[in-house]
């Protein structure tokens, strides 16, 4: 009993000290904290990157000290990889918005999956990081899509304020929509319209007047939070999408590549990966190379004691074969493979199947 009382009073005394210290700290940091005293909102721009708009949009955001999340389309990213890297270099966050902007819930599961995973693979090969946020086109979602998102490590992000920029809203109407935002709100805009770009200086002023800041969307909760780099904008140095460069390595999980062939499927044992069951089953993705020679290491296994064979094709040309002599996962390396530079399609494909083995693929590493 005595002991309990001591603890109780110690706890209360600590709490008093904590509260007092807390208020002192807040006073001391007031100048720094004042701008965001009413919290954070998320600005989001969908459907890019767009060669007619993205650079202007990024410049406007940076000039006004704003950061935003860009939900890119995979096909636009593939066609404009440097714009994706400029988004990243400008301190923006990058999310997945499907490959071609279909009504996803009207597609088959496998089509739905391709829309999501192809975009993951492409954005990862451009930026080096797979997105963690996904916004379904038209905000249309269902249980199947949510499960595909989960398989890809994606958190679904919708919005609760619609700028209506897609519906012909004027710059003033877009600014008014931002004017309704409160702490934690997410606004839908697009990387496409002049009205949207022209709204940015007034958006910045509006938020500032109301003690709100542009925040990031938490990849774990999908909620708006303070930017994790303390709100500072990284130096805007556009980086070319040239990976891997000498001395570095790029590792791509087989399950994040695009599946092709008749039977190719994900597996969870002996590792998270992909199984190729028959001739022409494959996984593929696009890699940007700045130089023309690399070592390619594939971790994989056979499904039994029979040797499995998987060919490496780059730009449509067979460059070698990976051999897996048994069911224990192993890394097989093809050294000094010459190939084209720039964007090259990499395929891991079965061509020597004789019905006695299946190939399990874990990851490809390029050095
Ligand atoms: Zn969209």
């Amino acid at each position: 009993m005595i002991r309990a009382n001591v603890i109780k009073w110690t706890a209360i005394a600590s709490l008093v000290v904590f509260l007092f210290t807390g208020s002192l700290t807040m006073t001391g940091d007031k100048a720094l904290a004042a701008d965001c005293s009413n919290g954070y909102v998320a600005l989001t721009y969908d459907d890019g990157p767009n060669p007619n708009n993205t650079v202007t949009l990024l410049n406007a955001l940076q000039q006004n000290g704003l950061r935003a999340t860009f939900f890119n389309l995979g096909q636009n990213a593939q066609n404009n990889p440097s714009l994706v890297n400029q988004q990243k270099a400008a301190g923006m966050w990058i999310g997945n918005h499907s490959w071609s902007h279909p009504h996803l819930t009207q597609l088959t599961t496998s089509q739905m999956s391709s829309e999501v995973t192809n975009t993951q693979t492409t954005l990862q090969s451009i930026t080096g990081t797979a997105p963690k946020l996904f916004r379904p086109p038209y905000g249309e979602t269902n249980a199947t899509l949510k499960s595909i998102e989960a398989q890809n490590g994606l958190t679904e992000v919708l919005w609760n304020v619609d700028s209506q920029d897609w519906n012909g809203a004027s710059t003033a109407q877009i600014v008014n929509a931002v004017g309704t935002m409160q702490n934690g709100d997410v606004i839908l805009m697009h990387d496409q319209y002049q009205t949207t770009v022209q709204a940015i200086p007034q958006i910045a002023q509006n938020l500032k007047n109301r003690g709100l800041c542009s925040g990031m969307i938490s990849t774990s909760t999908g909620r708006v939070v303070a930017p994790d780099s303390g709100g500072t904008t990284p130096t805007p140095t556009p980086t070319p999408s040239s990976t891997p460069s000498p001395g570095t390595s790029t590792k791509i999980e087989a399950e994040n590549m695009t599946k092709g062939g008749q039977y190719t499927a994900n597996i969870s044992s002996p590792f998270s990966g992909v199984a190729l069951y028959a001739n022409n089953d494959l996984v593929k993705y696009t890699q940007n190379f700045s130089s023309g020679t690399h070592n390619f290491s594939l971790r994989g296994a056979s499904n039994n004691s029979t040797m499995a064979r998987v060919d490496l094709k780059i730009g449509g040309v067979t460059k070698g074969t990976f051999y897996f002599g048994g069911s224990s996962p192993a890394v097989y390396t093809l050294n000094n493979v010459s190939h084209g530079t720039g964007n090259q399609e990499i395929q891991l494909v079965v061509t020597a199947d004789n019905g006695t083995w299946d190939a399990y693929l874990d990851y490809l590493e390029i050095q």
Side-chain angles (χ1 to χ4, degrees):
M1 183 64 81
I2 291 170
R3 198 184 197 89
N5 273 333
V6 170
I7 291 169
K8 189 196 274 176
W9 282 109
T10 308
I12 289 170
S14 307
L15 185 61
V16 170
V17 170
F18 170 77
L19 288 173
F20 186 59
T21 313
S23 67
L24 279 180
T25 306
M26 280 171 71
T27 309
D29 287 349
K30 197 175 175 188
L32 202 71
D35 286 343
C36 310
S37 54
N38 288 327
Y40 293 86
V41 297
L43 308 176
T44 67
Y45 295 95
D46 291 7
D47 301 357
N50 180 336
N52 298 317
N53 196 68
T54 302
V55 171
T56 322
L57 175 56
L58 290 175
N59 286 340
L61 288 168
Q62 284 195 290
Q63 281 161 16
N64 288 281
L66 296 174
R67 297 177 75 184
T69 304
F70 282 72
F71 288 99
N72 289 327
L73 292 175
Q75 63 183 12
N76 289 355
Q78 186 179 55
N79 292 332
N80 306 281
S82 68
L83 292 180
V84 177
N85 278 319
Q86 286 182 59
Q87 293 169 346
K88 190 178 166 187
M92 307 299 153
W93 300 281
I94 292 169
N96 177 334
H97 191 42
S98 83
W99 185 264
S100 62
H101 213 275
H103 291 275
L104 284 173
T105 56
Q106 295 171 18
L107 302 184
T108 65
T109 303
S110 119
Q111 291 170 324
M112 206 187 266
S113 179
S114 297
E115 283 278 338
V116 174
T117 57
N118 292 356
T119 305
Q120 285 296 93
T121 308
T122 296
L123 288 172
Q124 173 163 26
S125 75
I126 295 169
T127 66
T129 317
K132 295 274 173 38
L133 300 175
F134 179 76
R135 172 172 285 165
Y138 313 102
E140 295 169 356
T141 187
N142 62 17
T144 310
L145 180 56
K146 283 175 194 286
S147 139
I148 291 167
E149 291 164 5
Q151 284 163 23
N152 285 277
L154 289 163
T155 298
E156 187 175 272
V157 179
L158 300 177
W159 59 88
N160 58 358
V161 177
D162 185 348
S163 70
Q164 295 279 330
D165 62 348
W166 55 273
N167 200 20
S170 66
T171 293
Q173 287 169 324
I174 295 166
V175 174
N176 285 343
V178 171
T180 69
M181 295 178 81
Q182 302 295 329
N183 183 29
D185 284 349
V186 178
I187 187 167
L188 171 70
M189 294 181 283
H190 293 84
D191 182 354
Q192 189 169 348
Y193 306 106
Q194 274 197 347
T195 44
T196 311
V197 174
Q198 285 163 357
I200 286 173
Q202 293 173 73
I203 288 174
Q205 191 61 50
N206 180 291
L207 295 177
K208 191 177 176 193
N209 291 346
R210 299 191 297 127
L212 290 165
C213 293
S214 57
M216 64 180 242
I217 301 171
S218 161
T219 55
S220 53
T221 65
R223 301 174 76 94
V224 186
V225 296
D228 54 11
S229 61
T232 55
T233 305
T235 321
T237 42
T239 47
S241 61
S242 50
T243 52
S245 46
T248 65
S249 82
T250 296
K251 187 168 154 183
I252 305 98
E253 297 290 338
E255 64 270 29
N256 292 334
M257 300 182 193
T258 304
K259 296 180 192 70
Q262 207 172 349
Y263 305 105
T264 309
N266 283 354
I267 51 169
S268 55
S269 174
F271 39 67
S272 287
V274 167
L276 306 179
Y277 294 101
N279 283 333
N280 302 318
D281 278 3
L282 60 87
V283 287
K284 61 183 179 180
Y285 78 103
T286 301
Q287 175 71 52
N288 189 288
F289 290 104
S290 55
S291 60
T293 306
H294 288 92
N295 301 332
F296 292 79
S297 299
L298 182 64
R299 185 169 193 263
S302 174
N303 67 318
N304 58 36
S305 58
T306 310
M307 187 175 288
R309 303 172 53 149
V310 178
D311 293 343
L312 171 68
K313 280 193 184 180
I314 304 176
V317 180
T318 301
K319 297 293 183 180
T321 302
F322 300 101
Y323 297 92
F324 301 104
S327 55
S328 296
V331 175
Y332 191 99
T333 299
L334 297 168
N335 284 312
N336 299 315
V337 176
S338 299
H339 53 75
T341 56
N343 282 340
Q344 298 285 329
E345 184 175 78
I346 294 188
Q347 288 193 2
L348 301 168
V349 55
V350 166
T351 59
D353 177 55
N354 58 5
T356 62
W357 51 267
D358 301 322
Y360 295 157
L361 311 186
D362 186 3
Y363 61 78
L364 179 72
E365 188 165 19
I366 306 175
Q367 284 181 303

